[in-house]
Amino acid sequence: MLLALRQAVLERSGEKCEYCLYPEAFAFLSFEIEHVVAEKHGGSTTLDNLALSCPYCNHHKGTDLGSLDPETGQLTPFFNPRTQSWTDHFRLDGDLIAPLTPEGRGTVAILQFNHPDRVQERQRLIQAGEYPP
Ligand SMILES: [Zn+2]
């Protein structure tokens, strides 16, 4: 990937995961440039299809485009940070990320936003005044 493209994704993101909003500055592992629509599904390596992702979100999302809404069982795309607004689909509920929409529910479930380890890390950042960024 071109260094300039990587830099543009990083700057646009505010250096936080565009899925769970975790700030890269407090992460142990480097964040990754993620294809919102994976290349195997025809997604391009262009700014409008790339997002900054923490390794946890990126690992759990993989090349998936969506999942079954845990509430309705309907096939639903994941939250798309390029075309959708985070606050339309999620809200912070204490130290948990609560979904507001079917896309939000599938994303929270599959990307495991509220895994106990991640909630514990988020709690530390909230107490330090560093989350949400
Ligand atoms: Zn994340």
Side-chain angles (χ1 to χ4, degrees):
M1 188 179 303
L2 292 172
L3 196 60
L5 191 55
R6 187 179 177 81
Q7 191 59 36
V9 172
L10 202 67
E11 283 173 16
R12 181 181 59 193
S13 72
E15 300 187 19
K16 63 184 182 302
C17 175
E18 296 188 69
Y19 292 97
C20 72
L21 305 184
Y22 200 92
E24 187 176 27
F26 297 97
F28 179 69
L29 298 170
S30 295
F31 282 15
E32 298 160 358
I33 307 293
E34 195 262 336
H35 286 82
V36 177
V37 175
E39 289 178 290
K40 82 173 187 186
H41 297 293
S44 60
T45 305
T46 53
L47 202 52
D48 63 355
N49 189 46
L50 297 172
L52 189 68
S53 177
C54 73
Y56 303 104
C57 288
N58 197 19
H59 170 78
H60 291 297
K61 179 175 175 284
T63 59
D64 295 354
L65 302 176
S67 185
L68 302 179
D69 177 354
E71 211 168 283
T72 65
Q74 293 292 304
L75 184 61
T76 308
F78 289 136
F79 165 70
N80 182 328
R82 291 288 63 82
T83 60
Q84 298 174 318
S85 165
W86 197 91
T87 52
D88 288 344
H89 294 275
F90 312 98
R91 70 179 175 82
L92 201 57
D93 181 8
D95 50 17
L96 299 176
I97 297 174
L100 301 173
T101 61
E103 292 93 330
R105 287 193 292 269
T107 304
V108 166
I110 300 301
L111 276 59
Q112 298 191 21
F113 283 0
N114 295 318
H115 183 282
D117 294 344
R118 298 178 73 184
V119 171
Q120 196 173 26
E121 287 208 18
R122 196 177 299 132
Q123 180 64 52
R124 281 195 208 107
L125 288 186
I126 290 169
Q127 285 170 355
E130 300 288 355
Y131 189 95

